[in-house]
Amino acid sequence: MSEIEHLQARGEALIRDASATAGVRVVVSEWVDSEVGIGAVVHEMGLRPVSPVWDAHGLLDIGDSLAIHPASRPTKYFPEKGSDTELTTSIADAVQMLVQILLWERGIDPTWPACPEHGGRHPLLARHASPHRTTEDESAGPSGASARWECPEGVTSIEIGALETAAP
Ligand SMILES: [Zn+2]
């Protein structure tokens, strides 16, 4: 599997979440710029990415996209680097910023994904987490950890790719 295929495979669950719950179609495309450490970009489907940025505050023009680092390699002190869950959470951060700005541009509440535990008042955060907090699914891989959307204060923990269309 090539680098971009690997990143795209890890991004699938996020593309599904964005489409299912925000009605926003995003894609992961190849964009390699080794000087600034870009391995791919996330952008709205149907638009050609033009100038990748790292932060949604700079994302105001049509065709702009959010940059993703290439898959990193595990190191002694960060053995989870480059793991599938680590990749998924890093792509999740970019997809989250992009979806939020696309919703905002459409005049829709940009809190995404909205926390169901707190009435949608804040977004969930993507984390590399073990499933012990959850009561709703046991779909974590053999390692026990998975990439999840979590409430930073409450107990909500939803596997990335399993967001539901529940009304906020
Ligand atoms: Zn919450």
Side-chain angles (χ1 to χ4, degrees), residues 115 117-118 122 151:
C115 177
E117 190 179 339
H118 296 109
H122 69 87
C151 172

Side-chain angles (χ1 to χ4, degrees), residues 10-154:
R10 298 322 304 166
E12 266 170 28
L14 290 147
I15 287 162
R16 180 246 161 239
D17 279 351
S19 166
T21 65
V24 169
R25 310 282 297 185
V26 299
V27 287
V28 175
S29 294
E30 185 162 33
W31 185 295
V32 177
D33 187 336
S34 49
E35 251 170 52
V36 292
I38 298 178
V41 290
V42 178
H43 59 95
E44 193 174 3
M45 187 179 280
L47 290 181
R48 227 161 68 89
V50 180
S51 46
V53 293
W54 292 106
D55 189 302
H57 295 299
L59 189 76
L60 293 169
D61 295 321
I62 285 193
D64 277 355
S65 53
L66 280 156
I68 299 174
H69 289 290
S72 52
R73 305 276 171 259
T75 66
K76 186 178 169 194
Y77 296 109
F78 298 97
E80 78 284 6
K81 284 279 170 210
S83 72
D84 285 352
T85 46
E86 200 248 3
L87 266 186
T88 301
T89 48
S90 80
I91 298 171
D93 292 338
V95 169
Q96 180 171 37
M97 282 194 278
L98 179 63
V99 168
Q100 289 181 341
I101 205 122
L102 290 172
L103 291 175
W104 177 82
E105 280 177 354
R106 292 165 194 189
I108 300 169
D109 180 358
T111 308
W112 186 85
C115 177
E117 190 179 339
H118 296 109
R121 289 194 304 277
H122 69 87
L124 299 172
L125 301 177
R127 285 182 175 165
H128 179 260
S130 59
H132 68 272
R133 297 167 71 196
T134 188
T135 51
E136 59 192 75
D137 76 90
E138 298 300 330
S139 50
S143 72
S146 59
R148 311 186 70 84
W149 293 114
E150 296 201 326
C151 172
E153 283 161 22

